[in-house]
Amino acid sequence: MEAPLYPDFPHDPPIPRGAQPAFWVGPRHLAGDDGRLYDYVADTLAGLGWTSLTIVRGRHELDEAPEDRQVLRSTVLHISPDTLRWAQWSLADEPFHLGDLPIAWQISARTDTSSPLAAWSSYFTTDVPGEAVADYLVALDARDQPAVPFTGPERVLDAVAAHGWLRDIDQLHAGATDPTFTSHISLGEVPPLIQDADPRVLTAEADEAGPAGWQAWADPALGVPCLWAASFSAGLPHDLVAVFAASLSSTAPVLRRVLPEATREQLLRAPA
């Protein structure tokens, strides 16, 4: 007969039949998004008071029942109370690809309400840990001027180095990788289609380097597709990227039920 160690502390409820067990896992940058990247980020934005709009495109015939309507594409747009920043879930809206992965979230900001154009944009594919995107959005929401830079790029590298990441020996001031050499963050030329107010993004010739922005990705093994990728346009303030980088590289475990197949064997797990 066994007596409970803490008789006044309630036991965890039993896992419903068919439900997947939960684990505390690490490292965070290889833990994926638990299949909840939209929910995790959308819940954060709702808590910040952002407004959500659903844009549905489709074909609707006269006298057609609602359930028969042909929805072609849909997008969910979240807008901050001051309308200076917005986040778009574009996975269902024919997104373009980053590192051969479809973009899931596009987050942008502008300098003032008189301009319809984004001063900068950031992009996140599926399996980017939702905790990192949420922390990044909280920092963005707290800024009075979302497009004004406060610090230099060194702050991003300091953020990951504080969690044990290693400076890239070939670019000490522009890149770092985790100790297992699977996840990376680098300051360099941004990929095509990354929106930014800097006109050089569109006018740079094929043989000249455009403006530099931060890129991050996880590459679990040779010959295996990237697990996730994130891209930040050249005009994005470095301190905001540093918040994302600090959360991404955090050593604190995260709760997961769905583990990425590509990194399952690289994760430390403890039952939750």
PDB file of all heavy atoms in Angstrom, residues 186-205:
ATOM      1  N   SER A 186      21.554  34.318 -38.425  1.00  0.00           N
ATOM      2  CA  SER A 186      22.581  34.970 -39.222  1.00  0.00           C
ATOM      3  C   SER A 186      22.076  36.293 -39.770  1.00  0.00           C
ATOM      4  O   SER A 186      20.903  36.423 -40.139  1.00  0.00           O
ATOM      5  CB  SER A 186      23.009  34.046 -40.376  1.00  0.00           C
ATOM      6  OG  SER A 186      23.956  34.672 -41.212  1.00  0.00           O
ATOM      7  N   LEU A 187      22.966  37.285 -39.824  1.00  0.00           N
ATOM      8  CA  LEU A 187      22.662  38.582 -40.414  1.00  0.00           C
ATOM      9  C   LEU A 187      23.271  38.623 -41.800  1.00  0.00           C
ATOM     10  O   LEU A 187      24.490  38.518 -41.961  1.00  0.00           O
ATOM     11  CB  LEU A 187      23.235  39.709 -39.543  1.00  0.00           C
ATOM     12  CG  LEU A 187      23.007  41.137 -40.031  1.00  0.00           C
ATOM     13  CD1 LEU A 187      21.525  41.479 -40.063  1.00  0.00           C
ATOM     14  CD2 LEU A 187      23.765  42.128 -39.154  1.00  0.00           C
ATOM     15  N   GLY A 188      22.414  38.749 -42.817  1.00  0.00           N
ATOM     16  CA  GLY A 188      22.908  38.761 -44.186  1.00  0.00           C
ATOM     17  C   GLY A 188      21.830  39.220 -45.147  1.00  0.00           C
ATOM     18  O   GLY A 188      20.772  39.711 -44.739  1.00  0.00           O
ATOM     19  N   GLU A 189      22.101  39.048 -46.425  1.00  0.00           N
ATOM     20  CA  GLU A 189      21.151  39.483 -47.445  1.00  0.00           C
ATOM     21  C   GLU A 189      19.835  38.728 -47.291  1.00  0.00           C
ATOM     22  O   GLU A 189      19.822  37.505 -47.108  1.00  0.00           O
ATOM     23  CB  GLU A 189      21.725  39.238 -48.832  1.00  0.00           C
ATOM     24  CG  GLU A 189      20.863  39.794 -49.957  1.00  0.00           C
ATOM     25  CD  GLU A 189      21.507  39.638 -51.320  1.00  0.00           C
ATOM     26  OE1 GLU A 189      22.638  39.117 -51.383  1.00  0.00           O
ATOM     27  OE2 GLU A 189      20.883  40.039 -52.318  1.00  0.00           O
ATOM     28  N   VAL A 190      18.726  39.461 -47.345  1.00  0.00           N
ATOM     29  CA  VAL A 190      17.421  38.836 -47.145  1.00  0.00           C
ATOM     30  C   VAL A 190      16.984  38.097 -48.403  1.00  0.00           C
ATOM     31  O   VAL A 190      17.373  38.454 -49.511  1.00  0.00           O
ATOM     32  CB  VAL A 190      16.352  39.887 -46.756  1.00  0.00           C
ATOM     33  CG1 VAL A 190      16.704  40.539 -45.441  1.00  0.00           C
ATOM     34  CG2 VAL A 190      16.197  40.933 -47.850  1.00  0.00           C
ATOM     35  N   PRO A 191      16.175  37.051 -48.267  1.00  0.00           N
ATOM     36  CA  PRO A 191      15.663  36.326 -49.424  1.00  0.00           C
ATOM     37  C   PRO A 191      14.726  37.197 -50.266  1.00  0.00           C
ATOM     38  O   PRO A 191      14.265  38.255 -49.817  1.00  0.00           O
ATOM     39  CB  PRO A 191      14.899  35.154 -48.799  1.00  0.00           C
ATOM     40  CG  PRO A 191      15.377  35.070 -47.397  1.00  0.00           C
ATOM     41  CD  PRO A 191      15.749  36.457 -47.000  1.00  0.00           C
ATOM     42  N   PRO A 192      14.408  36.770 -51.481  1.00  0.00           N
ATOM     43  CA  PRO A 192      13.460  37.516 -52.322  1.00  0.00           C
ATOM     44  C   PRO A 192      12.070  37.572 -51.677  1.00  0.00           C
ATOM     45  O   PRO A 192      11.715  36.714 -50.869  1.00  0.00           O
ATOM     46  CB  PRO A 192      13.418  36.702 -53.622  1.00  0.00           C
ATOM     47  CG  PRO A 192      14.667  35.878 -53.612  1.00  0.00           C
ATOM     48  CD  PRO A 192      14.965  35.598 -52.181  1.00  0.00           C
ATOM     49  N   LEU A 193      11.319  38.607 -52.006  1.00  0.00           N
ATOM     50  CA  LEU A 193       9.921  38.824 -51.611  1.00  0.00           C
ATOM     51  C   LEU A 193       9.755  39.262 -50.159  1.00  0.00           C
ATOM     52  O   LEU A 193       8.638  39.451 -49.708  1.00  0.00           O
ATOM     53  CB  LEU A 193       9.066  37.570 -51.865  1.00  0.00           C
ATOM     54  CG  LEU A 193       9.041  37.042 -53.296  1.00  0.00           C
ATOM     55  CD1 LEU A 193       8.169  35.797 -53.384  1.00  0.00           C
ATOM     56  CD2 LEU A 193       8.550  38.101 -54.264  1.00  0.00           C
ATOM     57  N   ILE A 194      10.840  39.450 -49.431  1.00  0.00           N
ATOM     58  CA  ILE A 194      10.739  39.930 -48.051  1.00  0.00           C
ATOM     59  C   ILE A 194      10.463  41.431 -48.099  1.00  0.00           C
ATOM     60  O   ILE A 194      11.279  42.207 -48.587  1.00  0.00           O
ATOM     61  CB  ILE A 194      12.022  39.639 -47.252  1.00  0.00           C
ATOM     62  CG1 ILE A 194      12.287  38.128 -47.227  1.00  0.00           C
ATOM     63  CG2 ILE A 194      11.909  40.204 -45.852  1.00  0.00           C
ATOM     64  CD1 ILE A 194      11.197  37.305 -46.616  1.00  0.00           C
ATOM     65  N   GLN A 195       9.315  41.859 -47.582  1.00  0.00           N
ATOM     66  CA  GLN A 195       8.874  43.248 -47.714  1.00  0.00           C
ATOM     67  C   GLN A 195       9.570  44.161 -46.713  1.00  0.00           C
ATOM     68  O   GLN A 195       9.684  43.842 -45.538  1.00  0.00           O
ATOM     69  CB  GLN A 195       7.364  43.336 -47.516  1.00  0.00           C
ATOM     70  CG  GLN A 195       6.563  42.577 -48.552  1.00  0.00           C
ATOM     71  CD  GLN A 195       5.070  42.682 -48.313  1.00  0.00           C
ATOM     72  OE1 GLN A 195       4.614  43.557 -47.588  1.00  0.00           O
ATOM     73  NE2 GLN A 195       4.313  41.798 -48.914  1.00  0.00           N
ATOM     74  N   ASP A 196      10.025  45.314 -47.222  1.00  0.00           N
ATOM     75  CA  ASP A 196      10.693  46.285 -46.388  1.00  0.00           C
ATOM     76  C   ASP A 196      10.568  47.651 -47.053  1.00  0.00           C
ATOM     77  O   ASP A 196      10.481  47.752 -48.283  1.00  0.00           O
ATOM     78  CB  ASP A 196      12.168  45.904 -46.215  1.00  0.00           C
ATOM     79  CG  ASP A 196      12.842  46.684 -45.113  1.00  0.00           C
ATOM     80  OD1 ASP A 196      12.741  46.260 -43.951  1.00  0.00           O
ATOM     81  OD2 ASP A 196      13.454  47.728 -45.401  1.00  0.00           O
ATOM     82  N   ALA A 197      10.572  48.695 -46.239  1.00  0.00           N
ATOM     83  CA  ALA A 197      10.440  50.036 -46.797  1.00  0.00           C
ATOM     84  C   ALA A 197      11.710  50.504 -47.491  1.00  0.00           C
ATOM     85  O   ALA A 197      11.678  51.470 -48.259  1.00  0.00           O
ATOM     86  CB  ALA A 197      10.076  51.023 -45.693  1.00  0.00           C
ATOM     87  N   ASP A 198      12.835  49.853 -47.225  1.00  0.00           N
ATOM     88  CA  ASP A 198      14.087  50.224 -47.864  1.00  0.00           C
ATOM     89  C   ASP A 198      13.991  49.914 -49.359  1.00  0.00           C
ATOM     90  O   ASP A 198      13.849  48.750 -49.747  1.00  0.00           O
ATOM     91  CB  ASP A 198      15.238  49.441 -47.239  1.00  0.00           C
ATOM     92  CG  ASP A 198      16.610  49.950 -47.672  1.00  0.00           C
ATOM     93  OD1 ASP A 198      16.718  50.459 -48.804  1.00  0.00           O
ATOM     94  OD2 ASP A 198      17.552  49.844 -46.876  1.00  0.00           O
ATOM     95  N   PRO A 199      14.095  50.912 -50.241  1.00  0.00           N
ATOM     96  CA  PRO A 199      13.935  50.662 -51.684  1.00  0.00           C
ATOM     97  C   PRO A 199      15.012  49.770 -52.275  1.00  0.00           C
ATOM     98  O   PRO A 199      14.821  49.179 -53.340  1.00  0.00           O
ATOM     99  CB  PRO A 199      13.985  52.065 -52.293  1.00  0.00           C
ATOM    100  CG  PRO A 199      14.703  52.900 -51.284  1.00  0.00           C
ATOM    101  CD  PRO A 199      14.327  52.332 -49.956  1.00  0.00           C
ATOM    102  N   ARG A 200      16.137  49.619 -51.575  1.00  0.00           N
ATOM    103  CA  ARG A 200      17.204  48.773 -52.104  1.00  0.00           C
ATOM    104  C   ARG A 200      16.788  47.308 -52.172  1.00  0.00           C
ATOM    105  O   ARG A 200      17.381  46.516 -52.911  1.00  0.00           O
ATOM    106  CB  ARG A 200      18.456  48.912 -51.240  1.00  0.00           C
ATOM    107  CG  ARG A 200      19.137  50.279 -51.322  1.00  0.00           C
ATOM    108  CD  ARG A 200      20.321  50.331 -50.383  1.00  0.00           C
ATOM    109  NE  ARG A 200      19.909  50.162 -48.993  1.00  0.00           N
ATOM    110  CZ  ARG A 200      20.754  49.871 -48.007  1.00  0.00           C
ATOM    111  NH1 ARG A 200      22.026  49.671 -48.268  1.00  0.00           N
ATOM    112  NH2 ARG A 200      20.309  49.758 -46.765  1.00  0.00           N
ATOM    113  N   VAL A 201      15.765  46.944 -51.398  1.00  0.00           N
ATOM    114  CA  VAL A 201      15.273  45.563 -51.441  1.00  0.00           C
ATOM    115  C   VAL A 201      14.786  45.224 -52.842  1.00  0.00           C
ATOM    116  O   VAL A 201      14.947  44.101 -53.330  1.00  0.00           O
ATOM    117  CB  VAL A 201      14.134  45.371 -50.419  1.00  0.00           C
ATOM    118  CG1 VAL A 201      13.494  44.003 -50.572  1.00  0.00           C
ATOM    119  CG2 VAL A 201      14.670  45.543 -49.005  1.00  0.00           C
ATOM    120  N   LEU A 202      14.184  46.203 -53.521  1.00  0.00           N
ATOM    121  CA  LEU A 202      13.620  45.971 -54.850  1.00  0.00           C
ATOM    122  C   LEU A 202      14.559  46.363 -55.983  1.00  0.00           C
ATOM    123  O   LEU A 202      14.415  45.881 -57.105  1.00  0.00           O
ATOM    124  CB  LEU A 202      12.307  46.762 -54.995  1.00  0.00           C
ATOM    125  CG  LEU A 202      11.203  46.410 -53.990  1.00  0.00           C
ATOM    126  CD1 LEU A 202      10.005  47.329 -54.193  1.00  0.00           C
ATOM    127  CD2 LEU A 202      10.782  44.961 -54.136  1.00  0.00           C
ATOM    128  N   THR A 203      15.526  47.262 -55.691  1.00  0.00           N
ATOM    129  CA  THR A 203      16.355  47.788 -56.771  1.00  0.00           C
ATOM    130  C   THR A 203      17.740  47.167 -56.866  1.00  0.00           C
ATOM    131  O   THR A 203      18.477  47.446 -57.806  1.00  0.00           O
ATOM    132  CB  THR A 203      16.512  49.316 -56.597  1.00  0.00           C
ATOM    133  OG1 THR A 203      17.146  49.584 -55.334  1.00  0.00           O
ATOM    134  CG2 THR A 203      15.164  50.009 -56.640  1.00  0.00           C
ATOM    135  N   ALA A 204      18.120  46.330 -55.898  1.00  0.00           N
ATOM    136  CA  ALA A 204      19.454  45.736 -55.928  1.00  0.00           C
ATOM    137  C   ALA A 204      19.624  44.866 -57.163  1.00  0.00           C
ATOM    138  O   ALA A 204      18.740  44.092 -57.533  1.00  0.00           O
ATOM    139  CB  ALA A 204      19.691  44.913 -54.665  1.00  0.00           C
ATOM    140  N   GLU A 205      20.763  45.022 -57.827  1.00  0.00           N
ATOM    141  CA  GLU A 205      21.069  44.209 -58.998  1.00  0.00           C
ATOM    142  C   GLU A 205      21.451  42.793 -58.571  1.00  0.00           C
ATOM    143  O   GLU A 205      21.744  42.528 -57.408  1.00  0.00           O
ATOM    144  CB  GLU A 205      22.217  44.845 -59.788  1.00  0.00           C
ATOM    145  CG  GLU A 205      21.913  46.247 -60.297  1.00  0.00           C
ATOM    146  CD  GLU A 205      20.826  46.254 -61.371  1.00  0.00           C
ATOM    147  OE1 GLU A 205      20.653  45.194 -62.012  1.00  0.00           O
ATOM    148  OE2 GLU A 205      20.167  47.290 -61.545  1.00  0.00           O
TER     149      GLU A 205
END
